[in-house]
Amino acid sequence: MASQPTTTLISETPVKTRWYQKPALLMAVYALGTIILYIQSITTGRYNNFIIFKASLGHVLHGQPLYRLYPAEYFDYYLYHPSFPLLFAPFAVFPKEIGLFIWLMSSTAVFLYALYKLPMKRSTQTALGWMLVLELLNAIQSAQTNPAMTAFMLLAVMNMDRRKPALAALFTCLCFFIKGYGAIIGLLFLFFEDKWKYLLYCAFFGIVGTLLPLLFLSPAQLIQEYTDWFHLITSSTIKEDGSVMGMIHAIFGLQQPFAGQVDKYLLLVAGLGMIWALVKTWQRPTAPYTWLMLGYLMLWIVLFNQSTESPTYIIAVTGAAMGLLMLPKGRTIHILLCLLVVICCLCPTDLVPKFINRIAITYRLKALPTFLVLLYFQYYIGVKPRNVVL
């Protein structure tokens, strides 16, 4: 296999920057939106996810089981890796109002940082940021980990590309120690140099992170936590129906057990499609196709995940928009970008008429444009490859 060249930013011919193309304005909008949502969360008391993260640290420190319900503290289950409470400690040690503010601002900041590190023209980076602002704020409103997860997935591949296997492995493992499935991005190590170094660093960070709770738990307790975590994430308890399967169920009114059979066949086809895309990328391991494959995996893991909900789509929409902006401009690209922004980012919000919002939510239409983009990437990578412009 040919060596993978390092991707470099393409410089632009100096032109006058329009006001909306200035990164400072975009950053100000992101920051202001985050502050407004923080105030809304504090005044309404709607930041249950942050309370879950904060309380889980206390549970670990006191040797309490993580994967049980604690209705006196929060509603819903803790669904994350057993090591995540300790990684979240820098935010959990503050009073909840201060910790929440730092958490939300940090999530927005790391997301923007990752966008502006992508190997794109500065104007393209800013355009990407404007396309994602609504989806990012939707994720911020829920105080979840998805903005940070998205950033870590991007940063993992950026550091593979820059031949920094230690950092690439660190960000890959951070994805795993948050939700587990984010580590799928590690598959892209196949297309970059320093493969063995990357794997060795992954093993190192993986072992350290896996054993981290032993600082406060006994080996038997830790084994039980991992057993409980696996049972919870593979059960129907956390089924959110935000995936493409959920959309198909809603549109066609499918009921069990027939819906379950449809899901199995769809997952089989999706798995074969991912393998095919990986094989085709392996055959041409050049920067354009590896970055397009990054977008593909970010879409795939959201669309075919039973725990997907609306805020999870910041991962999929980022991968979709990034990949589309790296392709040669054309009518299909413009249509898909418009569908992403309008149907996926705008229609499920209160910024559209109520009946449109109701239709989008009832039929889980956030999955529709992202699924179309996934199919387009599948076609582009596996059937009719072209030159991709970075």
Side-chain angles (χ1 to χ4, degrees):
M1 184 180 68
S3 297
Q4 163 67 34
T6 301
T7 304
T8 56
L9 287 168
I10 297 177
S11 60
E12 298 179 89
T13 303
V15 294
K16 184 178 180 180
T17 302
R18 294 183 171 88
W19 63 271
Y20 57 84
Q21 294 176 320
K22 294 181 178 179
L25 175 62
L26 179 66
M27 293 176 188
V29 170
Y30 271 68
L32 179 61
T34 302
I35 291 171
I36 292 172
L37 292 176
Y38 165 75
I39 295 172
Q40 181 190 64
S41 297
I42 292 297
T43 55
T44 61
R46 295 174 60 186
Y47 49 98
N48 184 67
N49 287 310
F50 180 81
I51 298 300
I52 292 176
F53 304 154
K54 181 178 174 64
S56 66
L57 176 63
H59 296 161
V60 171
L61 296 181
H62 294 95
Q64 296 174 284
L66 282 170
Y67 303 101
R68 294 182 183 176
L69 290 174
Y70 291 90
E73 298 179 75
Y74 52 78
F75 62 88
D76 209 346
Y77 285 92
Y78 172 81
L79 303 173
Y80 299 79
H81 192 279
S83 297
F84 178 66
L86 298 175
L87 298 177
F88 194 77
F91 306 98
V93 296
F94 291 99
K96 58 184 180 181
E97 292 82 4
I98 297 174
L100 176 63
F101 179 78
I102 298 173
W103 169 242
L104 296 184
M105 293 301 291
S106 299
S107 298
T108 298
V110 72
F111 180 81
L112 270 174
Y113 173 80
L115 289 191
Y116 276 104
K117 288 295 181 180
L118 284 169
M120 295 173 164
K121 299 175 182 179
R122 179 52 58 90
S123 60
T124 307
Q125 293 170 338
T126 303
L128 177 61
W130 283 116
M131 291 178 191
L132 297 174
V133 64
L134 283 178
E135 199 62 36
L136 185 278
L137 293 177
N138 176 49
I140 288 294
Q141 188 175 36
S142 68
Q144 287 196 4
T145 58
N146 298 305
M149 276 274 292
T150 305
F152 293 159
M153 294 171 86
L154 296 176
L155 290 169
V157 181
M158 289 179 212
N159 283 287
M160 291 180 196
D161 179 62
R162 294 170 182 172
R163 302 194 65 174
K164 296 181 178 180
L167 283 175
L170 175 62
F171 285 117
T172 303
C173 289
L174 283 174
C175 289
F176 179 74
F177 293 131
I178 296 174
K179 283 192 174 180
Y181 61 74
I184 192 174
I185 218 68
L187 289 172
L188 293 177
F189 90 97
L190 294 167
F191 313 124
F192 294 95
E193 299 290 345
D194 301 316
K195 294 178 179 59
W196 286 110
K197 288 183 180 179
Y198 171 79
L199 291 175
L200 288 173
Y201 279 117
C202 278
F204 171 74
F205 290 125
I207 292 171
V208 171
T210 299
L211 301 180
L212 188 60
L214 285 177
L215 293 172
F216 305 98
L217 302 178
S218 69
Q221 286 177 308
L222 183 58
I223 292 173
Q224 186 61 52
E225 293 291 2
Y226 277 109
T227 302
D228 292 345
W229 181 50
F230 178 78
H231 287 162
L232 183 60
I233 63 176
T234 56
S235 72
S236 60
T237 303
I238 60 172
K239 194 167 186 178
E240 297 287 352
D241 282 338
S243 65
V244 70
M245 290 87 75
M247 179 186 69
I248 292 173
H249 297 170
I251 291 176
F252 296 102
L254 302 185
Q255 301 295 326
Q256 299 295 345
F258 180 68
Q261 294 298 318
V262 171
D263 291 352
K264 290 179 182 179
Y265 286 115
L266 186 58
L267 286 171
L268 175 61
V269 173
L272 293 174
M274 182 176 67
I275 293 171
W276 177 250
L278 287 167
V279 169
K280 298 302 290 186
T281 305
W282 176 267
Q283 293 174 352
R284 52 180 68 80
T286 56
Y289 290 97
T290 53
W291 285 98
L292 202 57
M293 192 66 208
L294 166 61
Y296 181 95
L297 290 177
M298 293 175 76
L299 284 159
W300 196 96
I301 198 58
V302 172
L303 288 170
F304 301 105
N305 188 333
Q306 71 168 5
S307 65
T308 291
E309 52 188 337
S310 180
T312 317
Y313 270 86
I314 185 59
I315 299 172
V317 177
T318 299
M322 177 200 67
L324 289 173
L325 289 175
M326 287 183 173
L327 291 169
K329 292 181 177 62
R331 181 179 299 177
T332 302
I333 301 297
H334 292 152
I335 291 173
L336 289 173
L337 285 172
C338 287
L339 290 175
L340 271 178
V341 174
V342 175
I343 297 180
C344 195
C345 303
L346 187 60
C347 286
T349 73
D350 294 330
L351 299 175
V352 298
K354 193 67 177 178
F355 77 95
I356 295 178
N357 174 270
R358 190 180 299 113
I359 291 172
I361 294 175
T362 300
Y363 295 104
R364 282 82 166 174
L365 293 185
K366 285 183 77 74
L368 179 58
T370 43
F371 184 55
L372 293 176
V373 175
L374 179 78
L375 294 177
Y376 186 69
F377 286 177
Q378 184 84 53
Y379 168 77
Y380 207 102
I381 295 171
V383 180
K384 191 176 180 181
R386 310 169 186 174
N387 293 323
V388 183
V389 180
L390 288 177

